[in-house]
């Protein structure tokens, strides 16, 4: 038996203001599905306040209680969630779900953008790209002495329409409507993998930057500061269930919390059979997960359990890295975003960084996004050279704190 395509994701809005809406997902299961769904919900700026998960390894049923924003595009969110579920085929005129096929890599486009500089410009451009569902893969931004900005955005299109003239014209039109006469030119062209590869630069981060962001001493020091969430409590129980390992997690809430947990389990190829998550205002979040390995057995290897718990502890306390370093006479903001084994990373990071700087009235002289191998993991590194010549007066520690709070949803 199958399930009607339109019933895979159902959305019921609350009749009372302030109460959460309810989204249900009912589809075939796959390892990492929860991570993919949570990432999409995070991209749309929707907050998850409660989740119930149930699956037999073949079919899953997930209920999300969520709170949106006034500008949340609910229908589009529903469509994106449906697209993340295993794909469908048609039988007798009715759409049913079938096993997922491996998707082809998305086409990459180069958006070359030139305009007159002003405060908050980069955030405004990033906001337009986000609204259009254009994902920034890499970026290089530079400011010329005569007050102009040259931006190079390597982007992919969630809607897979950027190769069409209409989609390109709509992109230019929306950028023009936001930036007005400041925009000088805007060109969009498809590029090959050899171009994006050359734009990446070295695959390893300079040693001094890696040490500044990832050294054990600095990480340990920052865990006791405002640049980390409170220490999480993770309890493992292998006696409650015959076939599952039970993880009980109590931790401080932050934006993308559920995604951080789900992507970690996905990277370890761990399947969730049953789960419940609750986030309460002004209290810690509580999460219970009955999990098992890909072979259908509970986790009894103590070294693997220690590894999973240690990784979860770090992801819950410091899901991203934020620091400010000297680059000659200027200050460079560095933000590191972990990349899943599937190649995906936390969405809207660049959006949050530029918004925090815009709110502080701090200009951006140049910016770069690249992916680097650090230890046994890949990280997406954002390097933003700040223009502190406007007399904003923000102490450097306040800049780091503001960016961190924006990324964590504590602004």
């Amino acid at each position: 038996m199958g399930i009607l395509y339109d019933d895979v994701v159902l959305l019921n809005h609350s009749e009372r203001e302030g109460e959460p809406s309810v989204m249900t997902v009912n589809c075939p299961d796959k390892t990492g599905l929860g991570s993919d769904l949570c990432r999409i919900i995070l991209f749309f700026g929707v907050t998850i306040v409660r989740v119930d998960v149930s699956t037999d390894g073949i079919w899953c049923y997930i209920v999300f209680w969520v709170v949106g924003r006034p500008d949340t595009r609910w229908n589009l969110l529903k469509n994106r969630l449906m697209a993340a579920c295993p794909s469908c085929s048609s039988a007798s005129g009715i759409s049913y779900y079938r096993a997922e096929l491996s998707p082809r890599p998305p086409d990459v486009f180069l958006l070359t953008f030139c305009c007159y500089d002003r405060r908050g410009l980069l955030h405004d451009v990033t906001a337009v790209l986000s609204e259009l569902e254009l994902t920034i893969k890499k970026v290089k931004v530079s400011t010329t002495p005569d007050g102009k900005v040259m931006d190079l955005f390597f982007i992919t299109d969630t809607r897979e329409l950027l190769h069409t003239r209409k989609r390109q014209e709509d992109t230019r039109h929306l950028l023009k409507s936001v930036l007005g006469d400041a925009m000088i030119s805007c060109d969009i062209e498809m590029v090959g993998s050899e171009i994006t590869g050359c734009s990446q630069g070295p695959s390893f981060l300079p040693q001094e930057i890696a040490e500044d962001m990832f050294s054990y001493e600095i990480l340990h020091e920052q865990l006791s500061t405002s640049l980390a969430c409170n220490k999480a409590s993770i309890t493992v129980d292998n006696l409650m269930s015959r076939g599952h390992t039970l993880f009980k997690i109590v931790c401080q809430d932050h934006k993308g919390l559920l995604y951080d947990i789900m992507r970690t389990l996905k990277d370890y190829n761990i399947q969730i059979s049953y789960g419940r998550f609750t986030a309460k205002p002004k209290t810690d979040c509580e999460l219970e997960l009955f999990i098992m390995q890909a072979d259908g057995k509970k986790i009894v290897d103590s070294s693997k359990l220690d590894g999973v718990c240690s990784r979860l502890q770090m992801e819950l306390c410091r899901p991203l890295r934020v620091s400010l370093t000297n680059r000659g006479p200027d200050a460079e903001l560095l933000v590191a975003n972990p990349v899943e084994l599937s190649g995906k990373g936390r969405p809207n990071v660049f959006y949050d960084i530029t918004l925090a700087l815009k709110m502080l009235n701090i200009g951006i002289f140049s910016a770069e996004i690249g992916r680097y191998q650090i230890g046994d993991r890949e990280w997406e590194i954002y390097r933003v050279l700040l223009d502190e010549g406007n007399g904003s007066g923000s102490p450097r520690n306040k800049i780091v704190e503001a960016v961190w709070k924006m990324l964590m949803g504590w602004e």
Side-chain angles (χ1 to χ4, degrees), residues 142-378:
S142 56
T143 305
T144 63
D146 59 353
K148 296 178 183 178
V149 174
M150 177 63 72
D151 297 348
L152 301 178
F153 290 93
F154 291 89
I155 56 178
T156 58
D157 185 8
T158 302
R159 304 176 193 176
E160 299 184 345
L161 294 172
L162 198 54
H163 62 281
T164 64
R165 182 185 297 274
K166 183 180 186 305
R167 179 72 160 149
Q168 293 186 10
E169 289 177 350
D170 289 345
T171 301
R172 295 189 188 95
H173 175 74
L174 189 54
L175 284 168
K176 181 69 175 179
S177 66
V178 171
L179 302 177
D181 295 336
M183 191 169 86
I184 300 173
S185 65
C186 178
D187 297 311
I188 303 173
E189 61 178 326
M190 186 184 298
V191 295
S193 57
E194 68 279 0
I195 301 297
T196 56
C198 291
S199 69
Q200 173 68 62
S203 58
F204 294 93
L205 202 62
Q207 184 177 358
E208 63 275 11
I209 295 178
E211 290 178 352
D212 186 51
M213 300 191 74
F214 296 95
S215 71
Y216 176 81
E217 291 77 10
I218 292 178
L219 289 177
H220 183 73
E221 177 183 336
Q222 291 186 343
L223 283 175
S224 60
T225 70
S226 60
L227 296 183
C229 304
N230 296 334
K231 185 176 177 62
S233 169
I234 303 175
T235 305
V236 180
D237 187 343
N238 259 328
L239 301 177
M240 176 75 72
S241 169
R242 287 185 177 182
H244 300 86
T245 297
L246 172 61
F247 272 32
K248 292 183 178 181
I249 302 174
V250 179
C251 60
Q252 183 181 0
D253 194 13
H254 66 256
K255 182 166 61 178
L257 168 65
L258 203 55
Y259 167 67
D260 291 329
I261 295 173
M262 295 295 185
R263 66 175 170 81
T264 300
L265 298 180
K266 178 182 177 182
D267 282 352
Y268 276 92
N269 202 23
I270 291 174
Q271 299 176 353
I272 300 172
S273 296
Y274 310 98
R276 176 168 294 179
F277 166 81
T278 305
K280 300 177 181 179
K282 299 181 181 180
T283 61
D284 287 335
C285 298
E286 298 180 357
L287 182 69
E288 292 187 350
L289 296 172
F290 287 85
I291 62 176
M292 61 183 181
Q293 303 176 109
D295 60 6
K297 299 179 181 179
K298 64 167 63 177
I299 308 173
V300 294
D301 186 336
S302 59
S303 62
K304 184 171 184 178
L305 281 173
D306 290 343
V308 174
C309 290
S310 177
R311 172 81 172 271
L312 278 172
Q313 187 70 247
M314 181 57 71
E315 299 296 349
L316 293 174
C317 294
R318 292 204 63 210
L320 301 106
R321 312 280 192 269
V322 183
S323 68
L324 200 66
T325 186
N326 293 324
R327 186 170 167 184
D330 302 311
E332 183 178 49
L333 178 69
L334 301 168
V335 178
N337 177 28
V339 178
E340 301 176 25
L341 293 179
S342 65
K344 298 176 182 177
R346 174 188 292 261
N348 296 334
V349 171
F350 198 52
Y351 176 94
D352 287 341
I353 293 171
T354 54
L355 177 57
L357 295 176
K358 180 179 181 179
M359 293 176 66
L360 290 173
N361 195 31
I362 294 177
I364 296 174
F365 185 76
S366 66
E368 296 181 14
I369 302 177
R371 291 194 171 188
Y372 302 87
Q373 193 72 27
I374 302 174
D376 59 350
R377 301 183 64 185
E378 185 179 27

Side-chain angles (χ1 to χ4, degrees), residues 54-82:
S54 179
T55 176
D56 60 2
I58 300 175
W59 204 268
C60 75
Y61 185 73
I62 308 175
V63 184
F64 294 97
W65 285 261
V66 296
V67 177
R69 302 180 303 193
D71 60 346
T72 297
R73 295 173 288 177
W74 290 106
N75 288 335
L76 187 58
L77 170 58
K78 177 181 176 180
N79 291 338
R80 295 295 169 255
L81 291 173
M82 292 173 66

